[in-house]
Amino acid sequence: MSPGPQIAAWRPSISGLIEVFHARFAEHRYPMHTHDAWTLLIVDQGAVSYVLDRHEHGAASSVVTLLPPHVPHDGRAANSRGFHKRVLYLDPALLGPELIGAAVDRPAIPDRLLHTRIHRLHQALKPPGEELETQSRLALVVEHLQLRLRRQEGGPPALSDAPLASRLRDLLDARVHAGLPLSAAAELLAAHPAHLVRAFTKEYGIAPHQYLTGRRVDLARRMLLDGAQPAAVASAVGFYDQAHLTRHFKRLVGVGPGRYARHR
């Protein structure tokens, strides 16, 4: 007897992302249907066969699949083992209607870097998620898709905008506790979100969200050494709760905040 379907679905509070959907199916077959959003799909196990605009296609773990809005398609497991997929439903405005034709022609994108970026975006979206990180990763994914669909050759232009990166760092330093959405930073600095992420990463060697997390952990260390309790520290430096603090603190310091404080 085949195992039943396993799914997870949620609506992240990130502009441009309509829904996140993870599913493991053994036998389910999707009838012909459409979505009003862009469907960005990666397959972790198995393979999916589908018809898009009357042409047969396949989705396997080696490719990224992008299905445009309002174009009929179906879907089914390519073999008896079923499939495990992760899907992002993107606001139509993120890519634009002028790119639908290119997506219909080439829904399967064999691009390992794009696949990795989408995987990392899914990881960042797991609740509770961190707004700056998810916005940054989404911006890079959307820019990558735009370049592919527009058939632009080569990679994105090299950026060495040190003043822009420095201004973003100043903004992050001034908002360690409150945080700073990427969209707000882009508006304040009059720059495209993906431009900001790439410029900052090139200048400082880490992404903006990684920098902000490091600043928060630094502040947490000092407060713990001053005798503050981990639960109070978590709130004071901008983490959701003590568990959120512990996860990042242990990753960056090597031990949890409680153990760190006991050995001060």
Side-chain angles (χ1 to χ4, degrees):
M1 181 177 179
S2 300
Q6 303 173 33
I7 68 166
W10 68 98
R11 290 176 58 87
S13 57
I14 300 298
S15 178
L17 270 180
I18 296 175
E19 182 186 340
V20 182
F21 181 60
H22 296 182
R24 186 186 301 273
F25 288 121
E27 300 174 345
H28 182 66
R29 297 175 64 93
Y30 291 97
M32 274 293 179
H33 63 287
T34 65
H35 295 289
D36 60 358
W38 289 87
T39 303
L40 183 60
L41 164 73
I42 57 175
V43 176
D44 294 315
Q45 294 178 352
V48 178
S49 296
Y50 62 95
V51 172
L52 176 71
D53 194 38
R54 299 182 297 278
H55 294 281
E56 185 77 26
H57 298 278
S61 59
S62 59
V63 301
V64 173
T65 300
L66 180 67
L67 306 179
H70 309 300
V71 179
H73 61 277
D74 63 2
R76 58 203 173 280
N79 54 53
S80 60
R81 294 188 296 274
F83 60 90
H84 178 205
K85 66 176 183 177
R86 288 180 289 170
V87 185
L88 300 174
Y89 293 100
L90 307 179
D91 190 303
L94 286 184
L95 295 175
E98 72 277 6
L99 300 177
I100 289 178
V104 170
D105 292 339
R106 299 180 306 280
I109 306 174
D111 189 317
R112 179 52 57 185
L113 176 58
L114 177 59
H115 191 285
T116 299
R117 284 178 168 172
I118 294 169
H119 167 69
R120 289 175 177 168
L121 174 56
H122 275 284
Q123 289 183 314
L125 284 166
K126 292 179 180 179
E130 296 181 19
E131 188 173 18
L132 179 58
E133 178 179 2
T134 52
Q135 286 186 332
S136 299
R137 295 196 182 282
L138 177 62
L140 292 177
V141 166
V142 170
E143 181 189 56
H144 200 135
L145 289 169
Q146 290 172 335
L147 291 174
R148 292 287 312 208
L149 293 175
R150 289 171 180 159
R151 303 178 182 177
Q152 295 186 13
E153 297 182 356
L159 294 173
S160 58
D161 198 338
L164 180 63
S166 178
R167 291 165 63 198
L168 177 55
R169 186 178 66 174
D170 290 343
L171 287 175
L172 293 174
D173 286 341
R175 296 166 171 79
V176 172
H177 175 268
L180 180 67
L182 184 62
S183 55
E187 184 176 351
L188 287 169
L189 299 176
H192 190 278
H195 182 164
L196 271 183
V197 175
R198 288 190 282 111
F200 190 96
T201 303
K202 185 174 181 64
E203 184 66 19
Y204 297 114
I206 57 175
H209 69 272
Q210 293 174 309
Y211 176 82
L212 181 62
T213 297
R215 291 282 288 109
R216 286 172 169 170
V217 169
D218 280 345
L219 291 177
R221 292 171 71 153
R222 293 163 195 158
M223 292 183 66
L224 289 167
L225 293 178
D226 286 339
Q229 295 300 309
V233 169
S235 175
V237 302
F239 289 112
Y240 295 108
D241 52 28
Q242 186 174 340
H244 193 206
L245 164 66
T246 299
R247 176 161 59 92
H248 288 293
F249 195 98
K250 189 172 184 178
R251 182 169 57 86
L252 291 177
V253 181
V255 296
R259 183 176 177 185
Y260 183 85
R262 288 195 297 273
H263 289 79
R264 67 183 183 271

